Amino acid sequence: MSEQLGTWVAEGAKLLSKINRVDLKQLRILQALLRERSASRAGDAVGLTQQAVSDQLRKLRDVFDDPLFVRRSNGLTATPLAEKLQLKVDRILKEIDGLLQPDEFDPARVEGKIVIAATDYAQQAILPELLQEMLLQAPRLKIEVQDFDAAKSRDQMAAGQIDICIGFPDSFPENFPSVPLLRESYSCVAAKDLDLTNKSLTLETVADLPQITVAPDNLVTSWFKEAGFAPNIVVSAPCFSAVPKYLVTTQTIAFLPSRIPLNPGIEHIALDDCPIEFEIVAAWHIRADNDPLLNWLIRLLQSACAD
């Protein structure tokens, strides 16, 4: 048994020694010789002289312990071993060439799960169209949507638990790659039965009206204060999605981002001045920078936000 083991070890070492003696250039020359059956034409194919090809062929013969090619009047004839090597060499070189080329990404063949963390705003204004397009192009993909939490989502993204986040620019560290998606502005809205559409409303008048705000969003409140007014906030809601429903049951107004979908009973109120704009970005961890799936998702996001 020990003798047989010793034989296997010796043969393995011999094979490994041979493999280590073959370089990529020699494999390409062998491939060219197998295709062209001529040292001169093989040299033209790989950009070498006929003499350089012949020199490398001598080394290959030594490695494989076989003539590999026999010269005939009409060119080179491959030995049985060389014929067997042709498919293997073609396959090896194809795999090596594939290392230098990015895989062709086909969303229709993608399987697995992608996790998106998004703000309340993004879940209403961006994700409906995005999810529709994602499932249309990648029907095998599973999508998990989470609420964006600035205190946790960044760490979860760094840990690989979240693939991409959609939120405000100042929610992410500077070393996180990101792309701007859109700039958004607020619009004053109210229930239609308040009948404010045809009234001339000054900023002071609007400030006195009972108002619903979204905490901890302070953009609108700050806008009023910079203008010298204190808004009459009577309800503080946790998210944008609840506000349209509250408006139809209360005699109040609210300032909502213009892309937030409204109930049929809600209408926009025209004002001469509007609160400041804000920006929405998509961010991810730097390790996923070259991920084809992530790049595809970013393109879909930008398309969904371009309308």
Side-chain angles (χ1 to χ4, degrees):
M1 180 68 181
S2 60
E3 291 181 2
Q4 186 177 20
L5 179 60
T7 301
W8 289 344
V9 171
E11 290 178 352
K14 184 178 179 181
L15 177 60
L16 183 60
S17 176
K18 287 186 175 182
I19 292 174
N20 289 335
R21 290 161 57 194
V22 179
D23 60 29
L24 182 59
K25 179 176 68 174
Q26 289 173 333
L27 286 181
R28 294 200 183 279
I29 291 172
L30 178 57
Q31 182 186 57
L33 286 168
L34 286 165
R35 290 179 177 177
E36 302 295 339
R37 306 300 169 101
S38 163
S40 60
R41 290 197 299 270
D44 293 339
V46 296
L48 294 173
T49 65
Q50 180 177 348
Q51 182 59 47
V53 170
S54 297
D55 291 342
Q56 294 300 324
L57 177 56
R58 281 196 294 271
K59 295 179 181 179
L60 287 167
R61 284 168 170 165
D62 183 56
V63 169
F64 290 102
D65 194 21
D66 186 88
L68 297 177
F69 297 93
V70 178
R71 188 173 300 278
R72 305 293 186 193
S73 58
N74 59 345
L76 299 177
T77 300
T79 66
L81 175 61
E83 294 284 3
K84 291 180 181 179
L85 288 174
Q86 183 162 11
L87 289 178
K88 295 179 182 179
V89 170
D90 287 344
R91 183 171 65 249
I92 290 170
L93 291 176
K94 183 177 180 181
E95 291 292 333
I96 291 174
D97 291 339
L99 292 174
L100 305 177
Q101 299 178 359
D103 292 335
E104 185 174 339
F105 179 75
D106 181 5
R109 300 171 59 184
V110 171
E111 297 182 355
K113 183 175 75 171
I114 193 162
V115 181
I116 303 171
T119 60
D120 169 51
Y121 166 80
Q123 290 186 43
Q124 295 187 74
I126 298 175
L127 290 197
E129 181 177 345
L130 175 70
L131 296 179
Q132 179 186 32
E133 193 62 28
M134 288 179 70
L135 293 175
L136 181 64
Q137 294 191 28
R140 301 180 184 179
L141 187 66
K142 306 300 180 185
I143 307 165
E144 179 180 333
V145 178
Q146 298 182 6
D147 290 329
F148 175 73
D149 183 338
K152 297 189 302 183
S153 294
R154 290 175 296 187
D155 291 339
Q156 291 176 308
M157 193 156 48
Q161 298 168 347
I162 291 176
D163 296 295
I164 194 167
C165 289
I166 306 173
F168 304 105
D170 57 3
S171 299
F172 308 103
E174 291 184 359
N175 62 334
F176 275 43
S178 64
V179 293
L181 296 179
L182 56 83
R183 291 196 64 83
E184 175 65 290
S185 60
Y186 281 88
S187 176
C188 184
V189 295
K192 289 182 179 180
D193 57 14
L194 276 184
D195 194 23
L196 297 175
T197 304
N198 297 319
K199 296 182 178 180
S200 178
L201 299 176
T202 65
L203 192 57
E204 182 177 8
T205 303
V206 173
D208 288 336
L209 294 174
Q211 183 182 144
I212 300 176
T213 190
V214 175
D217 177 32
N218 297 314
L219 286 177
V220 176
T221 302
S222 298
W223 174 65
F224 273 107
K225 289 182 178 179
E226 290 172 4
F229 304 107
N232 180 20
I233 298 172
V234 296
V235 177
S236 179
C239 57
F240 290 122
S241 57
V243 174
K245 296 179 181 179
Y246 295 163
L247 289 174
V248 297
T249 60
T250 61
Q251 299 293 301
T252 58
I253 66 166
F255 285 86
L256 294 179
S258 62
R259 289 186 176 226
I260 294 289
L262 300 178
N263 298 349
I266 304 299
E267 63 183 357
H268 291 274
I269 308 302
L271 298 178
D272 293 337
D273 194 11
C274 290
I276 59 175
E277 296 180 333
F278 62 90
E279 187 176 24
I280 295 293
V281 304
W284 58 94
H285 196 270
I286 192 170
R287 71 167 177 278
D289 239 359
N290 297 316
D291 182 2
L293 176 59
L294 179 68
N295 292 334
W296 167 75
L297 174 56
I298 292 169
R299 289 194 297 271
L300 289 187
L301 266 170
Q302 292 175 313
S303 177
C305 295
D307 298 334

